[in-house]
Amino acid sequence: MMPTEIVRTHGYAPEDLAYALETRHAVENRLRHMLEGEGSDIPGNLIAAMEHALIAPSKRVRPVLLYLIAEPDAGAQESVLDLCCAVEMVHTASLILDDLPCMDDAMMRRERPTTHVAFGQSTAILSAIALLTRAFGIIAEIKAPPAIRTRLVSVLAKSIGHKGLVAGQEIDLNGRAHLTDETDVERLNWLKTGIFFVSCAEMGAIFRGMTSNQLGLIRTFAKHLGLAFQTADDLLDGTDDPNRIGKDVHKDDGKATIVSLYGERRARMTCLEHIEAARQALRSSGVRHLPIEALIDRYLTSKIAFDGK
Amino acid sequence: MMPTEIVRTHGYAPEDLAYALETRHAVENRLRHMLEGEGSDIPGNLIAAMEHALIAPSKRVRPVLLYLIAEPDAGAQESVLDLCCAVEMVHTASLILDDLPCMDDAMMRRERPTTHVAFGQSTAILSAIALLTRAFGIIAEIKAPPAIRTRLVSVLAKSIGHKGLVAGQEIDLNGRAHLTDETDVERLNWLKTGIFFVSCAEMGAIFRGMTSNQLGLIRTFAKHLGLAFQTADDLLDGTDDPNRIGKDVHKDDGKATIVSLYGERRARMTCLEHIEAARQALRSSGVRHLPIEALIDRYLTSKIAFDGK
């Protein structure tokens, strides 16, 4: 399957992809702007570590998704970009921590040495806390009705904590032995990736003021998309080389994943099923869906179709 | 100086101290209630680590201060206790992280093995993130006008992040060599302890709806109280035994503190000056001050007067 054929299949135009990629640049400019706007009274090593982790090559899938779902008018663009920065800070914090020696012990991330390799463990951990905390501070101060801001804080907190990302990482590190079937693995993938995907998309929908029916569709969309990304990640971990994906590979060898339990073919099928379910929900949600579909093909469909399998 | 003399000096009655200590129990009951109310779908190890760190012997100075400043009526008590739990979770998270091998490498805390000793480093770090995140989630959902909640989130985030506790810990670990005089050390103490003390007190004042003038007095009070506690901590670290204070001592040997720079006598004087400045501001603030003064004597004045020096 060639990229051009995919384009025809889903009916989006080059402008749709361009719009999604411009959004990514807007998010990255805003992230840079935020770090540069800091006072000089912050310990230099700390701000350098935050920048090292944050301003590194990345697809920015989560914040871009948030933005494309929020579809802000001109007056609300800055606030939505701030929200985008907040979720990217949370995501980056989770990567810094996941990579620590006591967790995945990774050396490379986003085409750079991991933060603890470059700055030492203590500064890496502190930079993660700083990014995480900053995210909540940003949301509390965006231009939006306070009731919207408190909802956003609440949704984000739930997706990170002991019933979200943190729970997923704990099970991934210390509970893999108890995972025996696809249901267990999908629950882990849900906690590790799905729940935070959903919260990013939901934040965009909440900011936009969607009805609860639309919100439900956005959640369904993001849930399947997150699971598709996690399954693709498991596939790439087993088959790809580190130079292409910018981080360590084979970190999951020996762990129960859809790939290790049922093989690559089944994992690829599962991934495609999640992508299809995500598209269905997205198209019904009322969001301008073509830029998002363009991104899905670029970052997901084309990756798992790689090498013709 | 005997405790009874102190009592007479500052004019508080046994009821004042009893009231402050009851507040501590109310906070601890609420913390327990919160953890018990969790679903069974959380990884057992994670919730056990959170509980190990959180439900351990502690004076709960920060949340008690918040409560005594907020002085909630019956209808607002639950909300303020929730706020108390939030700041105690943040404080506990900071202790878990400070104790890690890559930071202070401490074995004992709150009369127990530190969280990483009991549960391993990865679970310790994850439990700290879970507590920190939970704190923001709790604040976002208390019964209070949304505009108050967003202010509370903002104040808390600022005191934790790269201009607050995190900055303090970074300087403490990696920047001590650059500390040469009392101003530097006081700035570090401000970041490590003062700023979070102020944010806890400020949160109580914001919830209560204080005027900006009163808020200023509360900030002054808490700033001096926090610096007094940090100076007392430095004194105890050099002179006390671990069984009495429930954590490792001599962790700061070789570090620049008021004690190491100017000796115990000067440090004790500095501490007493901060206590006096704190009392002055407190008495002008309009808060019922006697229970707080009773606590100051119990936890601070009597400690640094210990062994008659």
Side-chain angles (χ1 to χ4, degrees):
Chain A
M1 201 160 30
M2 296 293 291
T4 48
E5 292 177 60
I6 299 170
V7 170
R8 280 193 212 106
T9 312
H10 298 112
Y12 53 80
E15 302 89 80
D16 292 312
L17 182 60
Y19 177 65
L21 296 179
E22 275 160 30
T23 301
R24 183 176 103 182
H25 290 301
V27 169
E28 296 195 323
N29 286 338
R30 190 82 186 161
L31 283 170
R32 265 189 216 96
H33 171 82
M34 282 207 166
L35 285 180
E36 281 162 10
E38 297 300 348
S40 56
D41 56 337
I42 302 154
N45 220 33
L46 182 66
I47 199 86
M50 290 165 74
E51 196 177 330
H52 173 89
L54 198 58
I55 313 294
S58 159
K59 299 189 288 290
R60 316 288 180 194
V61 175
R62 293 157 189 81
V64 167
L65 215 54
L66 189 162
Y67 191 95
L68 294 178
I69 289 168
E71 292 189 79
D73 57 29
Q77 277 176 9
E78 273 203 5
S79 292
V80 173
L81 284 175
D82 283 351
L83 276 186
C84 291
C85 291
V87 301
E88 187 61 21
M89 286 177 184
V90 169
H91 178 56
T92 302
S94 79
L95 299 180
I96 294 171
L97 298 174
D98 286 359
D99 287 338
L100 287 172
C102 67
M103 301 212 194
D104 297 346
D105 195 15
M107 308 298 285
M108 286 287 290
R109 170 72 74 176
R110 292 181 163 177
E111 304 174 27
R112 298 181 171 187
T114 47
T115 311
H116 67 272
V117 167
F119 292 89
Q121 284 191 64
S122 59
T123 303
I125 294 170
L126 292 171
S127 69
I129 303 293
L131 289 169
L132 187 65
T133 320
R134 184 82 192 282
F136 288 107
I138 288 170
I139 298 173
E141 295 188 357
I142 60 165
K143 272 186 229 148
I148 294 283
R149 288 182 264 159
T150 52
R151 258 180 93 187
L152 294 169
V153 168
S154 180
V155 164
L156 183 64
K158 283 198 181 106
S159 72
I160 299 171
H162 59 304
K163 294 182 179 182
L165 291 178
V166 163
Q169 182 67 357
E170 170 67 24
I171 294 170
D172 194 15
L173 291 169
N174 304 316
R176 282 269 186 180
H178 305 292
L179 306 182
T180 51
D181 61 16
E182 191 165 345
T183 311
D184 291 343
V185 173
E186 290 250 308
R187 181 171 169 256
L188 174 59
N189 287 351
W190 163 244
L191 292 170
K192 284 205 69 170
T193 312
I195 202 168
F196 187 52
F197 254 83
V198 170
S199 113
C200 293
E202 202 174 347
M203 287 168 76
I206 290 170
F207 186 91
R208 182 189 175 128
M210 276 188 166
T211 64
S212 68
N213 184 40
Q214 286 175 303
L215 252 173
L217 288 164
I218 287 297
R219 274 197 216 100
T220 303
F221 152 71
K223 179 181 171 179
H224 286 290
L225 189 63
L227 292 173
F229 265 103
Q230 184 61 50
T231 311
D233 216 41
D234 291 339
L235 275 163
L236 290 170
D237 185 82
T239 59
D240 224 332
D241 73 281
N243 292 329
R244 220 175 123 253
I245 62 172
K247 60 181 180 180
D248 297 3
V249 293
H250 297 293
K251 298 304 290 184
D252 292 337
D253 287 359
K255 288 182 179 179
T257 68
I258 303 289
V259 184
S260 73
L261 285 174
Y262 301 104
E264 278 186 42
R265 194 183 155 80
R266 168 84 173 267
R268 202 161 265 122
M269 286 293 294
T270 301
C271 189
L272 288 170
E273 283 163 19
H274 282 307
I275 292 173
E276 193 46 39
R279 284 192 204 277
Q280 296 280 353
L282 178 65
R283 286 174 192 159
S284 313
S285 71
V287 165
R288 183 182 156 192
H289 59 93
L290 291 176
I292 299 175
E293 299 216 41
L295 278 187
I296 291 175
D297 279 344
R298 186 183 174 92
Y299 293 143
L300 210 48
T301 324
S302 64
K303 297 283 175 188
I304 62 158
F306 183 69
D307 74 14
K309 271 183 238 174
Chain B
M1 199 158 35
M2 296 293 290
T4 47
E5 292 177 60
I6 299 171
V7 171
R8 279 192 213 108
T9 311
H10 298 112
Y12 54 78
E15 303 88 80
D16 292 311
L17 182 60
Y19 176 64
L21 296 179
E22 276 159 30
T23 301
R24 184 176 104 183
H25 290 300
V27 169
E28 297 194 322
N29 286 338
R30 190 84 186 158
L31 282 171
R32 262 186 220 99
H33 170 82
M34 282 208 166
L35 286 180
E36 281 161 11
E38 297 301 347
S40 57
D41 56 338
I42 303 154
N45 220 32
L46 182 66
I47 199 88
M50 290 165 74
E51 196 176 329
H52 173 90
L54 199 57
I55 313 294
S58 160
K59 299 187 287 290
R60 316 285 180 196
V61 175
R62 291 157 189 81
V64 167
L65 214 54
L66 189 162
Y67 191 96
L68 294 177
I69 289 167
E71 293 189 77
D73 56 32
Q77 277 175 8
E78 273 202 5
S79 292
V80 173
L81 284 175
D82 283 350
L83 277 185
C84 291
C85 291
V87 301
E88 187 61 21
M89 286 177 184
V90 169
H91 178 57
T92 302
S94 79
L95 299 179
I96 293 172
L97 297 175
D98 286 359
D99 287 339
L100 288 172
C102 67
M103 301 211 193
D104 296 347
D105 195 14
M107 308 299 286
M108 287 287 291
R109 169 72 74 175
R110 291 181 163 176
E111 303 174 28
R112 297 181 172 190
T114 47
T115 310
H116 67 272
V117 167
F119 291 89
Q121 284 192 63
S122 59
T123 302
I125 294 171
L126 292 171
S127 69
I129 302 294
L131 290 168
L132 186 64
T133 319
R134 184 82 193 281
F136 288 107
I138 288 170
I139 297 172
E141 295 189 357
I142 60 166
K143 271 185 231 148
I148 294 283
R149 288 182 265 159
T150 52
R151 257 180 94 188
L152 294 169
V153 167
S154 180
V155 164
L156 182 63
K158 283 200 181 103
S159 72
I160 299 170
H162 58 305
K163 294 182 179 182
L165 289 180
V166 163
Q169 182 66 358
E170 170 66 25
I171 295 170
D172 195 14
L173 291 170
N174 304 315
R176 282 269 186 181
H178 306 292
L179 306 182
T180 50
D181 61 16
E182 190 164 345
T183 310
D184 292 341
V185 172
E186 289 249 309
R187 179 171 171 258
L188 174 60
N189 287 351
W190 162 244
L191 290 171
K192 284 205 68 169
T193 311
I195 202 167
F196 187 54
F197 254 82
V198 170
S199 114
C200 293
E202 202 174 347
M203 287 169 75
I206 289 170
F207 186 92
R208 182 189 172 126
M210 277 188 165
T211 64
S212 68
N213 184 41
Q214 285 176 303
L215 253 173
L217 288 164
I218 287 297
R219 275 197 215 99
T220 303
F221 152 71
K223 179 181 171 176
H224 285 291
L225 188 63
L227 292 172
F229 264 103
Q230 184 60 50
T231 311
D233 216 40
D234 291 339
L235 275 164
L236 289 172
D237 185 81
T239 59
D240 223 332
D241 73 282
N243 293 331
R244 213 170 132 258
I245 63 172
K247 61 181 179 180
D248 298 3
V249 294
H250 296 295
K251 298 302 292 184
D252 293 336
D253 286 0
K255 289 181 177 179
T257 68
I258 303 290
V259 183
S260 73
L261 285 173
Y262 302 103
E264 279 186 41
R265 193 184 156 79
R266 167 84 172 266
R268 200 160 266 121
M269 284 293 293
T270 301
C271 189
L272 288 170
E273 282 164 19
H274 282 307
I275 292 172
E276 192 47 38
R279 284 192 203 278
Q280 296 279 354
L282 178 66
R283 286 173 194 162
S284 312
S285 71
V287 165
R288 183 182 156 193
H289 59 92
L290 291 176
I292 299 175
E293 299 215 41
L295 278 187
I296 291 174
D297 279 344
R298 186 181 174 92
Y299 293 143
L300 210 48
T301 324
S302 64
K303 297 284 174 185
I304 62 159
F306 182 69
D307 74 15
K309 271 184 234 171

